mmCIF file of all heavy atoms in Angstrom:
data_model
loop_
_atom_site.group_PDB
_atom_site.id
_atom_site.type_symbol
_atom_site.label_atom_id
_atom_site.label_comp_id
_atom_site.label_asym_id
_atom_site.label_seq_id
_atom_site.Cartn_x
_atom_site.Cartn_y
_atom_site.Cartn_z
ATOM 1 N N PHE B 31 -5.850 4.229 -16.164
ATOM 2 C CA PHE B 31 -5.152 4.695 -14.974
ATOM 3 C C PHE B 31 -3.693 4.926 -15.360
ATOM 4 O O PHE B 31 -3.123 4.132 -16.117
ATOM 5 C CB PHE B 31 -5.204 3.638 -13.890
ATOM 6 C CG PHE B 31 -6.567 3.479 -13.237
ATOM 7 C CD1 PHE B 31 -6.802 2.469 -12.327
ATOM 8 C CD2 PHE B 31 -7.618 4.352 -13.530
ATOM 9 C CE1 PHE B 31 -8.071 2.337 -11.739
ATOM 10 C CE2 PHE B 31 -8.873 4.220 -12.960
ATOM 11 C CZ PHE B 31 -9.069 3.198 -12.039
ATOM 12 N N LYS B 32 -3.097 5.961 -14.823
ATOM 13 C CA LYS B 32 -1.716 6.295 -15.193
ATOM 14 C C LYS B 32 -0.700 5.227 -14.725
ATOM 15 O O LYS B 32 0.379 5.086 -15.284
ATOM 16 C CB LYS B 32 -1.311 7.662 -14.675
ATOM 17 C CG LYS B 32 -1.196 7.785 -13.173
ATOM 18 C CD LYS B 32 -0.630 9.117 -12.744
ATOM 19 C CE LYS B 32 -1.524 10.284 -13.145
ATOM 20 N NZ LYS B 32 -2.815 10.279 -12.413
ATOM 21 N N ASN B 33 -1.090 4.457 -13.728
ATOM 22 C CA ASN B 33 -0.340 3.284 -13.296
ATOM 23 C C ASN B 33 -1.293 2.354 -12.544
ATOM 24 O O ASN B 33 -2.426 2.781 -12.206
ATOM 25 C CB ASN B 33 0.869 3.683 -12.440
ATOM 26 C CG ASN B 33 0.480 4.361 -11.149
ATOM 27 O OD1 ASN B 33 -0.064 3.726 -10.239
ATOM 28 N ND2 ASN B 33 0.733 5.677 -11.068
ATOM 29 N N VAL B 35 -1.336 1.150 -9.482
ATOM 30 C CA VAL B 35 -1.185 1.116 -8.042
ATOM 31 C C VAL B 35 -2.090 2.120 -7.369
ATOM 32 O O VAL B 35 -2.155 3.287 -7.703
ATOM 33 C CB VAL B 35 0.268 1.418 -7.610
ATOM 34 C CG1 VAL B 35 0.425 1.378 -6.093
ATOM 35 C CG2 VAL B 35 1.239 0.381 -8.275
ATOM 36 N N MET B 36 -2.829 1.615 -6.357
ATOM 37 C CA MET B 36 -3.720 2.475 -5.558
ATOM 38 C C MET B 36 -3.750 1.992 -4.132
ATOM 39 O O MET B 36 -3.462 0.801 -3.867
ATOM 40 C CB MET B 36 -5.134 2.451 -6.121
ATOM 41 C CG MET B 36 -5.806 1.096 -6.111
ATOM 42 S SD MET B 36 -7.327 1.011 -7.081
ATOM 43 C CE MET B 36 -6.649 0.627 -8.703
ATOM 44 N N PRO B 37 -4.025 2.867 -3.143
ATOM 45 C CA PRO B 37 -4.108 2.427 -1.767
ATOM 46 C C PRO B 37 -5.413 1.649 -1.575
ATOM 47 O O PRO B 37 -6.439 1.945 -2.190
ATOM 48 C CB PRO B 37 -4.094 3.710 -0.963
ATOM 49 C CG PRO B 37 -4.657 4.738 -1.903
ATOM 50 C CD PRO B 37 -4.182 4.346 -3.266
ATOM 51 N N PHE B 42 -5.679 4.414 4.065
ATOM 52 C CA PHE B 42 -5.220 5.699 3.500
ATOM 53 C C PHE B 42 -6.176 6.808 3.912
ATOM 54 O O PHE B 42 -6.075 7.894 3.448
ATOM 55 C CB PHE B 42 -5.204 5.561 1.976
ATOM 56 C CG PHE B 42 -4.173 6.362 1.238
ATOM 57 C CD1 PHE B 42 -2.881 5.977 1.211
ATOM 58 C CD2 PHE B 42 -4.551 7.519 0.531
ATOM 59 C CE1 PHE B 42 -1.920 6.702 0.506
ATOM 60 C CE2 PHE B 42 -3.606 8.232 -0.194
ATOM 61 C CZ PHE B 42 -2.267 7.835 -0.206
ATOM 62 N N MET B 48 -1.819 11.800 3.680
ATOM 63 C CA MET B 48 -0.802 11.461 2.730
ATOM 64 C C MET B 48 -0.508 12.600 1.762
ATOM 65 O O MET B 48 0.605 12.738 1.231
ATOM 66 C CB MET B 48 -1.208 10.210 1.944
ATOM 67 C CG MET B 48 -1.299 8.961 2.816
ATOM 68 S SD MET B 48 0.259 8.567 3.679
ATOM 69 C CE MET B 48 -0.121 6.947 4.307
ATOM 70 N N TYR B 52 3.091 13.748 -0.353
ATOM 71 C CA TYR B 52 3.347 13.742 -1.810
ATOM 72 C C TYR B 52 2.086 14.064 -2.556
ATOM 73 O O TYR B 52 0.976 14.036 -2.019
ATOM 74 C CB TYR B 52 3.936 12.385 -2.253
ATOM 75 C CG TYR B 52 3.112 11.172 -1.970
ATOM 76 C CD1 TYR B 52 2.014 10.802 -2.787
ATOM 77 C CD2 TYR B 52 3.411 10.328 -0.879
ATOM 78 C CE1 TYR B 52 1.266 9.670 -2.544
ATOM 79 C CE2 TYR B 52 2.656 9.200 -0.608
ATOM 80 C CZ TYR B 52 1.578 8.885 -1.434
ATOM 81 O OH TYR B 52 0.810 7.728 -1.223
ATOM 82 N N ASP B 53 2.238 14.348 -3.858
ATOM 83 C CA ASP B 53 1.136 14.688 -4.728
ATOM 84 C C ASP B 53 0.310 13.444 -5.028
ATOM 85 O O ASP B 53 0.789 12.516 -5.655
ATOM 86 C CB ASP B 53 1.683 15.306 -6.000
ATOM 87 C CG ASP B 53 0.585 15.747 -6.985
ATOM 88 O OD1 ASP B 53 -0.587 15.609 -6.640
ATOM 89 O OD2 ASP B 53 0.943 16.179 -8.105
ATOM 90 N N LEU B 54 -0.927 13.413 -4.598
ATOM 91 C CA LEU B 54 -1.793 12.234 -4.814
ATOM 92 C C LEU B 54 -2.025 11.953 -6.291
ATOM 93 O O LEU B 54 -2.405 10.843 -6.648
ATOM 94 C CB LEU B 54 -3.105 12.404 -4.093
ATOM 95 C CG LEU B 54 -3.054 12.569 -2.567
ATOM 96 C CD1 LEU B 54 -4.450 12.591 -1.988
ATOM 97 C CD2 LEU B 54 -2.167 11.536 -1.898
ATOM 98 N N ASN B 55 -1.777 12.913 -7.157
ATOM 99 C CA ASN B 55 -1.925 12.697 -8.590
ATOM 100 C C ASN B 55 -0.961 11.609 -9.124
ATOM 101 O O ASN B 55 -1.158 11.130 -10.227
ATOM 102 C CB ASN B 55 -1.714 13.984 -9.382
ATOM 103 C CG ASN B 55 -2.921 14.886 -9.369
ATOM 104 O OD1 ASN B 55 -4.041 14.435 -9.551
ATOM 105 N ND2 ASN B 55 -2.688 16.176 -9.178
ATOM 106 N N ARG B 56 0.053 11.299 -8.327
ATOM 107 C CA ARG B 56 1.007 10.280 -8.749
ATOM 108 C C ARG B 56 0.391 8.878 -8.663
ATOM 109 O O ARG B 56 0.911 7.943 -9.286
ATOM 110 C CB ARG B 56 2.267 10.333 -7.903
ATOM 111 C CG ARG B 56 3.087 11.604 -8.094
ATOM 112 C CD ARG B 56 4.406 11.493 -7.339
ATOM 113 N NE ARG B 56 5.212 12.708 -7.372
ATOM 114 C CZ ARG B 56 6.029 13.054 -8.359
ATOM 115 N NH1 ARG B 56 6.092 12.255 -9.445
ATOM 116 N NH2 ARG B 56 6.696 14.172 -8.329
ATOM 117 N N LEU B 57 -0.652 8.733 -7.896
ATOM 118 C CA LEU B 57 -1.285 7.406 -7.753
ATOM 119 C C LEU B 57 -2.084 7.025 -8.992
ATOM 120 O O LEU B 57 -2.592 7.885 -9.682
ATOM 121 C CB LEU B 57 -2.221 7.377 -6.521
ATOM 122 C CG LEU B 57 -1.595 7.705 -5.165
ATOM 123 C CD1 LEU B 57 -2.662 7.915 -4.129
ATOM 124 C CD2 LEU B 57 -0.656 6.562 -4.770
ATOM 125 N N GLY B 58 -2.257 5.727 -9.203
ATOM 126 C CA GLY B 58 -3.133 5.278 -10.293
ATOM 127 C C GLY B 58 -4.553 5.641 -9.983
ATOM 128 O O GLY B 58 -5.344 5.976 -10.879
ATOM 129 N N ALA B 59 -4.963 5.550 -8.708
ATOM 130 C CA ALA B 59 -6.288 5.894 -8.237
ATOM 131 C C ALA B 59 -6.203 5.956 -6.725
ATOM 132 O O ALA B 59 -5.177 5.599 -6.116
ATOM 133 C CB ALA B 59 -7.347 4.886 -8.683
ATOM 134 N N ILE B 60 -7.281 6.379 -6.074
ATOM 135 C CA ILE B 60 -7.374 6.299 -4.615
ATOM 136 C C ILE B 60 -8.667 5.615 -4.246
ATOM 137 O O ILE B 60 -9.732 5.827 -4.867
ATOM 138 C CB ILE B 60 -7.332 7.719 -3.990
ATOM 139 C CG1 ILE B 60 -7.354 7.616 -2.458
ATOM 140 C CG2 ILE B 60 -8.433 8.600 -4.467
ATOM 141 C CD1 ILE B 60 -7.119 8.945 -1.751
ATOM 142 N N VAL B 61 -8.586 4.694 -3.284
ATOM 143 C CA VAL B 61 -9.780 4.067 -2.722
ATOM 144 C C VAL B 61 -9.913 4.592 -1.290
ATOM 145 O O VAL B 61 -9.033 4.331 -0.465
ATOM 146 C CB VAL B 61 -9.653 2.515 -2.710
ATOM 147 C CG1 VAL B 61 -10.983 1.902 -2.285
ATOM 148 C CG2 VAL B 61 -9.256 2.002 -4.086
ATOM 149 N N GLN B 112 -6.148 14.655 -11.629
ATOM 150 C CA GLN B 112 -5.716 13.492 -12.394
ATOM 151 C C GLN B 112 -5.943 12.203 -11.610
ATOM 152 O O GLN B 112 -5.448 11.152 -11.999
ATOM 153 C CB GLN B 112 -4.251 13.607 -12.762
ATOM 154 C CG GLN B 112 -3.885 14.832 -13.579
ATOM 155 C CD GLN B 112 -2.368 14.979 -13.756
ATOM 156 O OE1 GLN B 112 -1.679 13.994 -13.996
ATOM 157 N NE2 GLN B 112 -1.882 16.190 -13.621
ATOM 158 N N LEU B 113 -6.673 12.285 -10.495
ATOM 159 C CA LEU B 113 -6.793 11.147 -9.580
ATOM 160 C C LEU B 113 -8.185 10.554 -9.606
ATOM 161 O O LEU B 113 -9.170 11.137 -9.118
ATOM 162 C CB LEU B 113 -6.484 11.643 -8.141
ATOM 163 C CG LEU B 113 -6.553 10.595 -7.024
ATOM 164 C CD1 LEU B 113 -5.428 9.575 -7.198
ATOM 165 C CD2 LEU B 113 -6.462 11.255 -5.660
ATOM 166 N N PRO B 114 -8.344 9.341 -10.185
ATOM 167 C CA PRO B 114 -9.596 8.644 -10.130
ATOM 168 C C PRO B 114 -9.950 8.319 -8.653
ATOM 169 O O PRO B 114 -9.086 7.875 -7.896
ATOM 170 C CB PRO B 114 -9.376 7.360 -10.927
ATOM 171 C CG PRO B 114 -8.226 7.691 -11.806
ATOM 172 C CD PRO B 114 -7.356 8.588 -11.011
ATOM 173 N N CYS B 294 3.083 3.493 -1.550
ATOM 174 C CA CYS B 294 2.475 3.412 -2.887
ATOM 175 C C CYS B 294 3.395 4.036 -3.928
ATOM 176 O O CYS B 294 3.554 3.457 -5.027
ATOM 177 C CB CYS B 294 1.109 4.117 -2.898
ATOM 178 S SG CYS B 294 -0.186 3.247 -2.027
ATOM 179 N N ILE B 295 3.980 5.163 -3.617
ATOM 180 C CA ILE B 295 4.874 5.831 -4.580
ATOM 181 C C ILE B 295 6.112 5.006 -4.832
ATOM 182 O O ILE B 295 6.557 4.865 -5.951
ATOM 183 C CB ILE B 295 5.245 7.235 -4.040
ATOM 184 C CG1 ILE B 295 4.001 8.124 -3.921
ATOM 185 C CG2 ILE B 295 6.243 7.903 -4.936
ATOM 186 C CD1 ILE B 295 3.224 8.309 -5.192
ATOM 187 N N ILE B 298 5.260 2.085 -7.089
ATOM 188 C CA ILE B 298 5.165 2.523 -8.493
ATOM 189 C C ILE B 298 6.553 2.659 -9.079
ATOM 190 O O ILE B 298 6.818 2.155 -10.229
ATOM 191 C CB ILE B 298 4.434 3.871 -8.575
ATOM 192 C CG1 ILE B 298 2.982 3.733 -8.135
ATOM 193 C CG2 ILE B 298 4.514 4.458 -9.974
ATOM 194 C CD1 ILE B 298 2.256 5.061 -7.905
#
Side-chain angles (χ1 to χ4, degrees):
F31 289 173
K32 68 172 64 66
N33 63 70
V35 179
M36 63 192 84
F42 211 77
M48 295 302 190
Y52 59 80
D53 181 4
L54 300 187
N55 281 317
R56 295 188 184 275
L57 299 170
I60 182 173
V61 187
Q112 301 172 42
L113 181 66
C294 287
I295 298 301
I298 294 166

